[in-house]
Amino acid sequence: AGSQDLTAEVVAQFPQVNLLPSHPPVGHQRDFGGKLAIGNYIFFIDADARVTSDFISCSLEETKRDG
């Protein structure tokens, strides 16, 4: 919460992504986002985190394998 980078500009390129207001603690934003989410899975990825291009597909494979 409170990043001073270009997060808003990057997120604007992805209409399916919601950028929530930045008020600590971050758990509040995640709870709020979780209540708005639709679908079977939700991923919370911090703006300063780096994930591989196959992160979501690998994560979904894990859920299928582990049931």
Side-chain angles (χ1 to χ4, degrees):
S3 294
Q4 299 297 314
D5 57 16
L6 298 176
T7 299
E9 288 81 358
V10 172
V11 169
Q13 299 173 39
F14 302 92
Q16 73 278 18
V17 175
N18 292 308
L19 181 62
L20 303 176
S22 179
H23 302 291
V26 71
H28 292 296
Q29 290 104 331
R30 291 183 177 163
D31 288 344
F32 181 74
K35 290 175 185 170
L36 295 177
I38 57 173
N40 296 322
Y41 302 99
I42 185 168
F43 291 92
F44 293 106
I45 303 170
D46 294 329
D48 60 351
R50 302 274 186 223
V51 296
T52 60
S53 61
D54 62 348
F55 170 76
I56 295 198
S57 61
C58 287
S59 297
L60 293 174
E61 270 307 308
E62 283 291 318
T63 62
K64 290 177 186 173
R65 189 182 73 197
D66 293 341

